[in-house]
Amino acid sequence: MTTPSAAVRRTSAAGLALAACFTAVPAMASANPSPSPNPSSPTGSLARYYNQRLDWGSCVLGPDDETGKALQKAGARCADVTVPLDYSDPGGRTITVAISRIEATDTRHRVGPLLLNGGGPGGTSLGDGPDIRKAMKGVGARYDIVGVDPRFVGRSTPLDCKWPVSSSIFSSGTSRAGFDRQVALHKDLAAKCRATNGPVLPHVTTRNTARDMDVIRGALREKKISYLGYSYGSYLGTVYTQMFPGRHDRVVLDGVLDPRRYSPRLLRGTEAENEHALAGFATWAAKRHDTYGLGRTRAQVLATLDHAIDVSARRGLTLGTAPDVFRLDDTHVPTLLVIGISDDTDEARTAFGEQMSVLAKAADGRPTRVSAEFKSVLESMTTGKDSHYGSVQTAILCGDKAAPRDPERYWRDIQRSRAAHPVTGPLSNNIGPCAFWDRPREKPTQVRHDTPALLVSATGDPRSDHQGAMALHGMLPSSKLITLKGADRHGIYGYYGNACVDAKVNSYLATGKLPAKDQTCVKRDG
């Protein structure tokens, strides 16, 4: 569910290893012994977390740290915020949450901190500040822009289950045998997490991440924080505003999830949107057959992709040349297709078209070479290169809401969905590690408090469908919705280049006033 640009940053940071296996951080070494009064700070056992003094320093970790260099160029400083692993036991083990801050330069008109989350779950946002500062244009100078790596993500205290794969999101394949292999895989992934990180897993939740956000607010000495969240970040923002009403200022949620539908089976209900986006790519590729060789009509392109799935089911596909050779089956190829259609810009489609051309050649038994970008995607799908990311993403989803336990229920759902949605149905309904996870310790957050948030949604969003945005809009009567018509894109503001959406969001961030009514923008081609 991560926004495309954030996905690139996450991939580049995937080499972060598990350090010291959650040994306790020295208790509040940077705490302020005589802190200034902290607004909205608890006076009990959590007070030391809210009143800690942050030790701001360079964001650059080493000569190869491109994220740190970009932050440094933007004038950012970084710090670690100490939080309790278990908020019901604040005197116990502690962990750290890494943050970056680009301070406001227009101090006379300063609004306050704007916390960022680019999605995932499990995506890093510490490096998002420079891009968001640019998107905000003049109004950015009035905010302290705060990028956050949520607990166990990126530079925060890490978690890694040492998986042989980097994600738990796969298709069930085309046969019962393929599904049975998936059941065995996900049972093993859950067991690995329990063996390596069992005591920590119950605390890897969105509700605890929201609690961390409020500690960050306190450590920044602010009464309120503003927030910008994409994709899963829209759910995190919803949870924060429900858990801490009155402690938020301006809230923008982009790529909005319906909190009632949020579950470990994140893609359920988006089958039609994903197939619409795939058809849109097929139309685009058909006009460029001479470049990609996928077919001269939409139907021919889709048939080429179906053929690749069929071949992958019968004998597998071999992509690349030694030493970078990858074997894909029918649990991989549909996932590869869904990964590539969350962005309908020409730049994204060009990269995806090149990948699908390689896939089509492999299906025909022809030798192939893979680009560095495609190699990274394939490594994440077939190896444990990004095990950290998949581990954290799964732990959050499993910790937030229980999943069905019976494998036969998943198989029935897959079979029911297969006729109408042969490519996406077996993926969105597939089993995952959460079927074998311990039950969450807390119930999912209920929306009970109205929030005057600004929601942003594209009508063709293939990750968090537009229906989800309208559902949350209905649950928050004071909210306003910006709808972008005609775009098959996940994550709009600041990244998609739609001037209409960007201007409306920036107007809200500048004034704090929501539009008088819901707004509509239109995708402009060319």
Side-chain angles (χ1 to χ4, degrees):
M1 306 289 291
T2 310
T3 56
S5 55
V8 172
R9 288 189 291 276
R10 185 263 301 167
T11 299
S12 66
L16 293 175
L18 184 64
C21 197
F22 296 101
T23 52
V25 176
M28 301 311 300
S30 62
N32 186 346
S34 301
S36 58
N38 186 4
S40 303
S41 171
T43 57
S45 55
L46 288 174
R48 65 185 183 124
Y49 298 100
Y50 279 80
N51 291 327
Q52 66 185 286
R53 180 167 52 201
L54 301 181
D55 183 13
W56 295 99
S58 172
C59 296
V60 182
L61 298 182
D64 298 326
D65 180 12
E66 298 303 322
T67 296
K69 291 177 183 177
L71 285 166
Q72 183 179 54
K73 184 178 180 180
R77 303 288 280 174
C78 288
D80 288 333
V81 182
T82 302
V83 298
L85 172 67
D86 181 355
Y87 275 85
S88 68
D89 181 22
R93 180 182 293 186
T94 61
I95 59 176
T96 58
V97 173
I99 66 174
S100 64
R101 180 176 66 180
I102 303 173
E103 290 191 276
T105 54
D106 185 359
T107 56
R108 184 176 180 181
H109 302 100
R110 180 179 177 274
V111 176
L114 175 70
L115 269 64
L116 309 177
N117 185 280
T124 174
S125 292
L126 180 126
D128 290 356
D131 285 345
I132 297 301
R133 175 64 181 82
K134 181 179 179 181
M136 294 172 74
K137 299 183 178 178
V139 71
R142 297 173 55 195
Y143 285 85
D144 294 340
I145 302 174
V146 180
V148 181
D149 279 354
R151 56 171 48 204
F152 306 111
V153 171
R155 297 188 185 184
S156 299
T157 299
L159 182 151
D160 191 341
C161 298
K162 302 300 183 182
W163 281 356
V165 293
S166 301
S167 171
S168 62
I169 300 175
F170 294 95
S171 173
S172 66
T174 59
S175 68
R176 177 68 198 220
F179 173 71
D180 289 342
R181 289 193 295 272
Q182 284 288 298
V183 172
L185 168 66
H186 293 296
K187 187 174 183 179
D188 180 61
L189 296 181
K192 281 182 166 58
C193 280
R194 193 173 295 110
T196 56
N197 295 280
V200 174
L201 296 180
H203 312 294
V204 192
T205 68
T206 299
R207 287 179 64 84
N208 280 332
T209 299
R211 293 179 176 110
D212 295 344
M213 287 172 56
D214 203 57
V215 170
I216 293 169
R217 177 197 58 75
L220 294 174
R221 304 296 189 265
E222 299 287 349
K223 291 183 179 180
K224 296 183 177 183
I225 54 174
S226 295
Y227 178 80
L228 169 62
Y230 297 85
S231 188
Y232 161 79
S234 74
Y235 178 71
L236 172 60
T238 301
V239 171
Y240 180 79
T241 61
Q242 296 305 304
M243 292 180 66
F244 300 98
R247 299 187 189 179
H248 52 84
D249 186 2
R250 301 166 201 189
V251 175
V252 180
L253 308 179
D254 189 322
V256 183
L257 293 171
D258 180 350
R260 295 169 301 187
R261 283 175 47 194
Y262 173 82
S263 79
R265 304 167 84 182
L266 268 180
L267 291 175
R268 285 197 87 197
T270 65
E271 294 87 357
E273 285 77 12
N274 274 282
E275 291 181 3
H276 173 80
L278 185 60
F281 165 76
T283 298
W284 180 92
K287 297 176 182 178
R288 297 160 178 82
H289 173 73
D290 291 342
T291 301
Y292 303 111
L294 298 175
R296 297 189 180 278
T297 66
R298 173 195 289 186
Q300 289 176 356
V301 173
L302 293 174
T304 297
L305 301 181
D306 286 341
H307 175 65
I309 295 174
D310 180 60
V311 174
S312 72
R314 287 189 284 107
R315 56 177 173 80
L317 298 179
T318 301
L319 280 67
T321 55
D324 300 318
V325 177
F326 302 93
R327 288 283 296 173
L328 304 183
D329 62 25
D330 54 335
T331 68
H332 298 115
V333 176
T335 310
L336 190 63
L337 299 183
V338 170
I339 288 173
I341 57 174
S342 65
D343 186 347
D344 65 358
T345 60
D346 278 346
E347 180 182 10
R349 282 178 167 172
T350 295
F352 187 50
E354 292 169 354
Q355 295 171 9
M356 293 303 97
S357 181
V358 171
L359 195 73
K361 290 176 182 177
D364 289 340
R366 290 183 281 167
T368 62
R369 288 183 175 272
V370 297
S371 66
E373 180 182 0
F374 197 19
K375 174 186 172 183
S376 180
V377 173
L378 294 171
E379 283 180 336
S380 291
M381 184 175 292
T382 61
T383 76
K385 172 191 173 187
D386 294 343
S387 169
H388 161 69
Y389 176 79
S391 301
V392 177
Q393 180 177 76
T394 301
I396 294 170
L397 292 169
C398 300
D400 281 347
K401 191 172 183 179
R405 314 291 283 187
D406 182 8
E408 294 307 315
R409 176 172 173 180
Y410 293 90
W411 179 245
R412 290 192 296 270
D413 290 343
I414 290 165
Q415 292 296 81
R416 278 194 293 265
S417 68
R418 198 185 297 276
H421 306 290
V423 175
T424 57
L427 189 157
S428 61
N429 289 281
N430 194 23
I431 198 167
C434 298
F436 309 100
W437 215 264
D438 292 342
R439 297 284 184 175
R441 292 193 179 181
E442 293 189 87
K443 294 181 179 180
T445 303
Q446 302 295 312
V447 176
R448 304 185 190 281
H449 304 285
D450 190 12
T451 303
L454 184 63
L455 314 182
V456 181
S457 176
T459 54
D461 188 333
R463 293 292 181 271
S464 47
D465 61 74
H466 187 58
Q467 296 296 323
M470 291 192 294
L472 182 60
H473 185 29
M475 300 166 71
L476 304 175
S478 296
S479 66
K480 291 295 183 289
L481 175 62
I482 300 175
T483 298
L484 178 60
K485 288 189 173 182
D488 298 339
R489 161 73 183 221
H490 184 55
I492 303 298
Y493 169 68
Y495 291 117
Y496 193 56
N498 186 275
C500 175
V501 170
D502 290 355
K504 293 180 186 301
V505 172
N506 284 337
S507 176
Y508 166 63
L509 292 173
T511 64
K513 296 180 180 179
L514 290 167
K517 60 181 181 179
D518 292 342
Q519 304 287 300
T520 299
C521 296
V522 179
K523 176 188 175 183
R524 304 294 182 188
D525 293 319

